[in-house]
Amino acid sequence: MSEATKPDKTRQLSQEQMNSIEHLLQGKSDRAVAEAVGVTRQTIWEWRNHDPLFIAELNRQRYEMWKEAHERLKSLANRALT
């Protein structure tokens, strides 16, 4: 089993993986993310589909992003109604 897919709870994401998550959250394609981070498109695909730690962090950050957007919209709706 490769280091990237090793089910070791002490393993942390690399800087490239963290940067990739930022670009993915901006809506960039796998190819654009790969070019920005300096890895292959296949590597991005592997991380997104087979690396449990990467998937969990991407999902966690997506959830936080959507939660913040939801709160902003609720605030704006309340102001619009008053």
Side-chain angles (χ1 to χ4, degrees):
M1 188 175 285
S2 74
E3 180 65 26
T5 58
K6 192 177 190 182
D8 179 3
K9 294 186 191 276
T10 62
R11 183 177 71 86
Q12 295 182 350
L13 294 177
S14 68
Q15 189 61 49
E16 289 87 2
Q17 288 175 310
M18 292 301 292
N19 292 341
S20 296
I21 288 172
E22 288 181 36
H23 290 286
L24 289 168
L25 291 173
Q26 294 171 8
K28 294 182 181 177
S29 68
D30 286 0
R31 184 175 309 280
V33 172
E35 289 174 8
V37 176
V39 298
T40 66
R41 183 200 52 79
Q42 181 64 28
T43 298
I44 300 297
W45 187 89
E46 289 289 333
W47 289 343
R48 285 182 51 241
N49 293 287
H50 296 292
D51 185 331
L53 191 60
F54 184 88
I55 294 166
E57 182 62 18
L58 178 59
N59 287 337
R60 186 192 69 75
Q61 288 193 33
R62 278 184 179 148
Y63 173 78
E64 288 298 320
M65 185 176 73
W66 282 103
K67 189 170 97 175
E68 290 170 11
H70 181 257
E71 290 302 318
R72 281 193 311 269
L73 284 173
K74 276 180 32 180
S75 173
L76 290 171
N78 287 336
R79 279 195 249 160
L81 292 172
T82 58

